Amino acid sequence: MKKLVVRKLEPIKTSANADC
Amino acid sequence: MAVNTAESVVTVRPFVSTVDGSDVIIGDTDRKVYLAIPAEGLDILNALAEGRTIAETARIYERKHGEPVDVEDFVAVLADEGFVTRGGEPEAATEPAHQHAHRTVKRWSFDWIPPATARRLTGPAVILPGLAVILTAVALVIAEPGLIPGPRVLLFEGGNFAILTVVSVTLAMIGLSLHELAHALAARSVGVSATLGISNLMYVLVAQTDISGIWMASKRARYKAFLAGFFVDAFFGSLLVAFLFATRRNLIDVPNWASLLASAALLTFLVRIGFQFFFYLRTDVYYVIATALNCRNLMSDTERFLSNGIKRLTFRRHKVISQAGIPRREMRKIRAYAAVWVFGRVFGLVALIFTILPMLWVYLEQFVLLAMGEPTRFSSADFATVAVLAALLNGGGLAMWGRNLWRGWRRRRVEDARTLARQAAAAG
């Protein structure tokens, strides 16, 4: 029996460092 | 876990969908959860949404495609991700359910920005003049390489150290807000929700904009959203380069503190641009690479690949989470990125142990002496300023890292147990 593959997509969170 | 019987009907929560290659991406925009499913999965989901039972849906599929499909397993996975609720079960949670458990302190929404305004602000009328400014600055730096500041500029020699440090940190915070606003504007220009929060990448404290909905947009729109931060950093950095060039050539006459401050501000823009290239973390360059490689979740898949490897080495094969659903071509990319992941983590830890912790130790020691009423270096305004800032920014990053590692580990344990149970059920 065929199984359908479900893939969770990654969260997209852009970052900027605050420690410069 | 409730069992779906073939005759049961499920409730499909509202979702959005878009075609992406041979897959369909479905999303719950409220919870910011996005899944890639085979195109025929959308037919199944639509049939279920019309109120057909699981068995009816399976029959429709078999008639259309000529082979039977495991609808119950498909529904079980979608239920775990909150896209369907089964009869008699409470409504799925409505909190965002990122598997990364990367909690942020609080989030502010950019969704009040109308897409039309965002489109104008991220359109060619802004980008082309901006690129001209950036190219001009590059030419100036080539003509005069001394314009690029070294770390010494942060000593503010010949200026009031404490005041200039506080002002330049303030400028850095404004710069970082502009960087994140740029990502948010690019997302809003295609109607995608954007929320700002504070989080960490390893031990680095970061401002973070969640634009997960960009999965529903074209690849071109995704690249634009990832590169928008670079664009504003390069643009404002270029204005500072032009200012410094003019002062060095005596084209304009400014007080010493102004050029000291401009050099320090330029350094923070350059450091922010440089940080994005640490692509072993989820930085802008990481997202560009992951998108170019067509990876669905390069970071988490890599972490799972590595943890599976450790489980195999430590004779816990029964705990391995199957990655059989990942296409072979993508698995090759994951294996290659695993080397980057490991090397990057080692590099980050070495930097932490040999530079950041010794520096924080110096400050911590003085804080302890102060608390004990001993004489300290805090009598110097310069030392006090830097100590407080370093403790807040670096200490904040470390504390958040520790908290998120713990939460992520706990959440992964729960999710792995659920996945293993499903694997066992599917194999049995």
Side-chain angles (χ1 to χ4, degrees):
Chain A
M1 189 145 73
K2 184 178 163 120
K3 282 206 181 297
L4 297 179
V5 175
V6 175
R7 298 191 57 201
K8 189 158 180 170
L9 303 180
E10 78 180 315
I12 296 182
K13 300 179 180 184
T14 62
S15 298
N17 52 318
D19 68 336
C20 31
Chain B
M1 184 163 121
V3 177
N4 305 302
T5 59
E7 294 313 315
S8 58
V9 176
V10 297
T11 307
V12 178
R13 288 167 49 89
F15 67 93
V16 291
S17 67
T18 182
V19 175
D20 184 288
S22 60
D23 285 341
V24 169
I25 291 177
I26 58 171
D28 180 336
T29 48
D30 285 346
R31 293 184 313 126
K32 293 182 190 284
V33 180
Y34 296 85
L35 306 176
I37 60 174
E40 59 266 36
L42 190 60
D43 294 342
I44 292 177
L45 207 46
N46 286 332
L48 292 168
E50 288 166 4
R52 295 179 192 279
T53 66
I54 286 177
E56 272 181 299
T57 305
R59 276 197 294 276
I60 293 170
Y61 180 95
E62 193 169 352
R63 265 206 303 274
K64 186 172 167 185
H65 297 274
E67 61 172 332
V69 66
D70 191 341
V71 176
E72 292 185 26
D73 178 65
F74 183 59
V75 166
V77 177
L78 290 176
D80 280 348
E81 298 297 353
F83 279 74
V84 304
T85 48
R86 290 172 279 206
E89 277 197 359
E91 273 285 289
T94 49
E95 61 166 289
H98 283 328
Q99 81 272 50
H100 221 64
H102 237 58
R103 283 298 177 80
T104 47
V105 175
K106 179 177 159 59
R107 302 204 74 95
W108 295 273
S109 174
F110 285 109
D111 294 352
W112 49 271
I113 300 174
T117 306
R119 262 197 297 279
R120 270 197 295 276
L121 288 171
T122 58
V126 170
I127 290 177
L128 294 175
L131 283 177
V133 169
I134 292 167
L135 288 173
T136 306
V138 169
L140 291 178
V141 169
I142 291 170
E144 183 130 2
L147 287 170
I148 297 296
R152 276 188 77 87
V153 300
L154 296 180
L155 297 174
F156 297 112
E157 288 158 328
N160 181 322
F161 178 85
I163 292 176
L164 289 175
T165 296
V166 169
V167 173
S168 71
V169 168
T170 308
L171 287 175
M173 293 301 155
I174 293 170
L176 134 140
S177 308
L178 290 169
H179 177 110
E180 289 307 309
L181 177 64
H183 288 304
L185 281 173
R188 293 301 297 143
S189 74
V190 286
V192 167
S193 165
T195 52
L196 180 69
I198 297 169
S199 189
N200 65 294
L201 292 179
M202 280 186 84
Y203 47 80
V204 178
L205 192 66
V206 294
Q208 204 171 57
T209 305
D210 189 334
I211 52 169
S212 296
I214 205 85
W215 276 113
M216 305 303 293
S218 69
K219 253 182 142 174
R220 202 188 129 140
R222 281 181 233 168
Y223 285 130
K224 186 170 147 181
F226 302 148
L227 296 172
F230 274 123
F231 178 81
V232 296
D233 280 342
F235 176 77
F236 288 105
S238 296
L239 294 182
L240 290 166
V241 165
F243 175 80
L244 288 167
F245 181 84
T247 58
R248 281 171 76 109
R249 293 291 172 98
N250 292 320
L251 301 174
I252 52 174
D253 191 25
V254 297
N256 185 39
W257 60 263
S259 60
L260 285 175
L261 205 52
S263 286
L266 177 56
L267 183 63
T268 66
F269 278 100
L270 294 174
V271 167
R272 196 172 316 113
I273 289 172
F275 176 74
Q276 300 299 340
F277 285 90
F278 291 139
F279 64 96
Y280 56 88
L281 302 169
R282 278 182 165 133
T283 56
D284 296 355
V285 171
Y286 163 82
Y287 283 116
V288 168
I289 291 172
T291 301
L293 294 176
N294 279 319
C295 288
R296 294 302 189 194
N297 195 340
L298 183 55
M299 185 68 74
S300 293
D301 287 342
T302 299
E303 288 172 358
R304 175 149 288 171
F305 167 72
L306 288 167
S307 97
N308 279 345
I310 289 171
K311 284 170 182 167
R312 288 194 180 98
L313 286 174
T314 52
F315 308 106
R316 288 180 298 153
R317 199 170 274 272
H318 60 288
K319 294 271 195 186
V320 167
I321 305 273
S322 168
Q323 292 189 301
I326 300 176
R328 285 179 59 173
R329 287 178 53 191
E330 194 172 333
M331 214 53 221
R332 275 208 296 272
K333 295 162 188 168
I334 288 166
R335 275 194 284 271
Y337 185 71
V340 172
W341 191 98
V342 171
F343 183 79
R345 293 293 177 292
V346 170
F347 168 78
L349 286 173
V350 167
L352 176 69
I353 292 166
F354 290 102
T355 64
I356 294 171
L357 290 180
M359 173 193 74
L360 283 176
W361 176 248
V362 169
Y363 298 134
L364 189 64
E365 202 174 38
Q366 297 293 320
F367 278 120
V368 170
L369 287 175
L370 184 70
M372 290 163 63
E374 305 278 335
T376 67
R377 292 168 62 186
F378 278 103
S379 50
S380 140
D382 292 355
F383 180 84
T385 306
V386 173
V388 169
L389 285 170
L392 278 178
L393 295 175
N394 291 301
L398 277 168
M400 211 174 250
W401 187 35
R403 191 185 68 163
N404 279 329
L405 279 176
W406 166 243
R407 286 185 174 177
W409 179 78
R410 271 179 40 186
R411 177 176 294 226
R412 246 193 316 275
R413 234 175 45 153
V414 171
E415 287 191 353
D416 283 2
R418 209 167 53 183
T419 309
L420 285 168
R422 210 167 47 215
Q423 267 176 216

